[in-house]
Amino acid sequence: VAALNLFTSRQLLVRVSRQLEIAENQSEMTLIRNAFIEMSEFLQIFVEKPHLRPYFYDSRPTPTGDDRVDAEVSALAEWILTNFATAISLAVMLPDYPIGALKETIRFHLRHSPAMRKHLEDRFSGFPVTGMTLLRWTYETKSETAQALEVFAFHAKERGDHAESNRIMSLRRL
């Protein structure tokens, strides 16, 4: 009877362990699925508001003098860049996250959208973990990335944010 109870207890522990593993994997898969949904939601905006597409696909700078379009482009750039940063963070935390599938999409938008590059520069300190990855994917070479960091540091210093300027310059040495 004792041996049967021990065997039953072991079987129960194995079963519970498997259920926990399945639940953990489902949580990760839910995170990944939700991230992909969020990553693709911005495409719907381009369907609904096609006048915004050139600012994200054709390297068109944000228009001066049109506050409504400027606000729309800026808000969309912020939203997309935040989603990209989230995707990179998830890839670090979840080994099954398919960042390779998204990397080229992220690169494309960073390279073809002055609004997104400006948002990254203006809010670089808001991306402490993912900012360097986003910046590196923006440019072809490390020297171009280093030059961008110098510009970011210069602008931070102009704003009087010497600590941020120094932090950015320390990143340049990496």
Side-chain angles (χ1 to χ4, degrees), residues 55-56 60-62 70-86 109-128 130-131 134-135 138-139 152 155 159 164 167-168:
Y55 306 108
F56 296 90
R60 184 183 295 172
T62 307
D70 183 48
E72 285 180 306
V73 169
S74 180
L76 189 54
E78 178 180 5
W79 184 48
I80 293 171
L81 201 58
T82 300
N83 279 322
F84 289 170
T86 300
H109 284 285
L110 287 169
R111 291 178 180 178
H112 291 89
S113 176
M116 288 186 62
R117 291 190 303 273
K118 181 175 179 353
H119 184 76
L120 180 59
E121 178 184 343
D122 292 348
R123 311 235 180 5
F124 189 70
S125 63
F127 301 100
T130 58
L134 289 166
L135 190 61
T138 301
Y139 298 98
F152 287 15
H155 289 157
R159 291 189 310 267
E164 178 64 7
R167 183 185 80 80
I168 292 170

Side-chain angles (χ1 to χ4, degrees), residues 115-162:
M116 288 186 62
R117 291 190 303 273
K118 181 175 179 353
H119 184 76
L120 180 59
E121 178 184 343
D122 292 348
R123 311 235 180 5
F124 189 70
S125 63
F127 301 100
V129 175
T130 58
M132 275 301 291
T133 301
L134 289 166
L135 190 61
R136 183 65 187 97
W137 289 355
T138 301
Y139 298 98
E140 294 284 337
T141 67
K142 287 183 180 182
S143 64
E144 289 174 317
T145 303
Q147 288 173 349
L149 282 170
E150 287 179 11
V151 170
F152 287 15
F154 176 78
H155 289 157
K157 200 171 195 174
E158 275 188 331
R159 291 189 310 267
D161 193 346
H162 296 283

Side-chain angles (χ1 to χ4, degrees), residues 2-151:
L4 182 60
N5 283 341
L6 183 58
F7 177 76
T8 304
S9 294
R10 281 187 184 158
Q11 289 293 83
L12 182 60
L13 285 174
V14 167
R15 207 175 289 149
V16 168
S17 176
R18 283 186 190 149
Q19 287 176 344
L20 286 173
E21 190 176 310
I22 290 168
E24 188 175 287
N25 287 339
Q26 285 177 339
S27 295
E28 287 181 9
M29 292 309 293
T30 299
L31 282 172
I32 291 170
R33 183 179 46 98
N34 289 344
F36 266 96
I37 289 169
E38 287 179 20
M39 282 287 294
S40 62
E41 282 180 347
F42 73 87
L43 297 173
Q44 182 62 35
I45 291 174
F46 292 134
V47 170
E48 294 169 2
K49 298 182 176 198
H51 66 281
L52 297 177
R53 284 183 56 84
Y55 306 108
F56 296 90
Y57 288 91
D58 300 334
S59 300
R60 184 183 295 172
T62 307
T64 54
D66 190 339
D67 292 341
R68 185 184 60 80
V69 172
D70 183 48
E72 285 180 306
V73 169
S74 180
L76 189 54
E78 178 180 5
W79 184 48
I80 293 171
L81 201 58
T82 300
N83 279 322
F84 289 170
T86 300
I88 293 168
S89 296
L90 284 172
V92 169
M93 294 184 311
L94 305 172
D96 292 334
Y97 192 84
I99 192 65
L102 298 174
K103 185 177 181 178
E104 289 308 313
T105 298
I106 294 170
R107 272 188 170 154
F108 177 86
H109 284 285
L110 287 169
R111 291 178 180 178
H112 291 89
S113 176
M116 288 186 62
R117 291 190 303 273
K118 181 175 179 353
H119 184 76
L120 180 59
E121 178 184 343
D122 292 348
R123 311 235 180 5
F124 189 70
S125 63
F127 301 100
V129 175
T130 58
M132 275 301 291
T133 301
L134 289 166
L135 190 61
R136 183 65 187 97
W137 289 355
T138 301
Y139 298 98
E140 294 284 337
T141 67
K142 287 183 180 182
S143 64
E144 289 174 317
T145 303
Q147 288 173 349
L149 282 170
E150 287 179 11
V151 170

